[in-house]
Amino acid sequence: MASYADDLALAHLLADTADSISMARFRALDLRVEAKPDLTPVSDADTAVEKAIRGTLSRARPRDGVLGEEFGMSTPPAGQGNRHWVIDPIDGTKNFIRGVPVWGTLIALMEGERPVAGLVSAPALGRRWWGAVGHGAFAGRHQRAANKISVSAVRKLGDASFCYASLPAWEEAGRLEPMLGIMRDAWRSRAYGDFYGYMLLAEGALDVMVEPELSLWDVAALIPIVTEAGGAFTDLDGQRAPGDGSAIATNGHLHSEILGRLTRATA
């Protein structure tokens, strides 16, 4: 099995740089925010973080490609190989620009179509999560102050904490009614949104996290963390994510039930 220890160490260095940039701009009075063509916001912190990460990767991993939310795909001079990094410089930009501390930088390494290593750094929360195939999943303030994490053992929806992003997105996807049914049957439901629900799942603090629409940079870093923590991660078709741009992440025990209930919505 391949070792990704060096890649995880590099991801932490990238996150150190990202954190220093983003925290300096968080709640800054002169923060610049613009609307992208899809009308989603982008701040000067988003672009600065991605540029800095790309600069380090060009020196440290010159043979690897890079896909980022703000600047797209770049290939190394020798051409695209099997490995590429996927970057979301600030996941939760709307939180960031409003001063809500739930946002983070997502860094993933992919081999072909498979995410093999991922790191999420949420500096305003003072916490990171990371994992890689064969290495397990961990959380803590930094790499030297970390604990191994694992998903919960909850087996019944009636005992489960259920998390989602937003109900309007599920309505647009034509799956609002089964979503409401799951929420009624679950022990508890909350909309934490963005990366945070997935990380709480990986820690065992909740049991299910679902989203109907995602981009690769939203999800690539999350998959190795959740799966190495013992969880299951597929799209709405039951295919292993990144898949079609949707996500069902669970502790594994509840996956078939959640997938079945959401799939039957459009059957």
Side-chain angles (χ1 to χ4, degrees):
M1 179 178 291
S3 173
Y4 299 102
D6 289 346
D7 298 306
L8 283 173
L10 175 57
H12 279 278
L13 291 175
L14 297 172
D16 289 342
T17 299
D19 290 354
S20 65
I21 295 170
S22 58
M23 284 301 291
R25 301 302 293 149
F26 183 49
R27 295 175 175 163
L29 296 179
D30 62 344
L31 183 71
R32 298 188 302 277
V33 181
E34 300 176 354
K36 293 190 285 190
D38 63 1
L39 301 182
T40 59
V42 58
S43 73
D44 58 63
D46 292 82
T47 54
V49 167
E50 186 169 326
K51 285 178 180 178
I53 291 176
R54 285 175 176 272
T56 300
L57 285 173
S58 69
R59 297 185 295 272
R61 294 289 190 273
R63 297 182 181 179
D64 294 350
V66 181
L67 171 66
E69 179 177 6
E70 307 307 334
F71 299 107
M73 174 65 89
S74 62
T75 57
Q80 181 67 57
N82 186 51
R83 289 167 43 111
H84 64 279
W85 297 80
V86 181
I87 309 300
D88 189 342
I90 296 182
D91 185 53
T93 298
K94 292 177 181 178
N95 281 348
F96 183 88
I97 64 179
R98 289 298 303 270
V100 178
V102 184
W103 51 270
T105 296
L106 279 53
I107 302 168
L109 173 64
M110 296 187 66
E111 291 183 346
E113 299 299 314
R114 184 189 186 194
V116 294
L119 181 147
V120 173
S121 184
L125 298 178
R127 196 157 180 82
R128 287 183 185 176
W129 302 261
W130 60 93
V133 174
H135 287 258
F138 298 83
R141 292 187 66 86
H142 51 74
Q143 200 168 15
R144 295 178 301 280
N147 295 306
K148 193 168 186 179
I149 57 175
S150 62
V151 297
S152 74
V154 172
R155 293 177 176 272
K156 296 180 180 179
L157 183 58
D159 298 327
S161 183
F162 176 73
C163 188
Y164 58 98
S166 71
L167 289 180
W170 286 100
E171 185 173 26
E172 292 173 7
R175 303 174 193 254
L176 179 60
E177 288 306 315
M179 273 290 294
L180 294 175
I182 292 171
M183 292 169 68
R184 294 185 190 102
D185 293 342
W187 168 68
R188 192 171 191 249
S189 62
R190 289 292 185 272
Y192 296 113
D194 300 313
F195 70 90
Y196 196 42
Y198 299 95
M199 297 302 94
L200 292 174
L201 167 69
E203 290 186 339
L206 56 83
D207 312 298
V208 181
M209 173 67 186
V210 295
E211 286 190 89
E213 185 178 2
L214 292 163
S215 296
L216 181 59
W217 46 77
D218 295 317
V219 71
L222 312 178
I223 297 169
I225 301 171
V226 170
T227 55
E228 284 295 304
F233 209 127
T234 71
D235 63 18
L236 281 165
D237 293 323
Q239 302 299 311
R240 289 190 176 183
D244 66 357
S246 59
I248 297 177
T250 74
N251 64 359
H253 301 298
L254 298 164
H255 207 85
S256 294
E257 179 177 358
I258 298 298
L259 178 62
R261 290 177 67 153
L262 289 174
T263 300
R264 286 196 298 270
T266 56

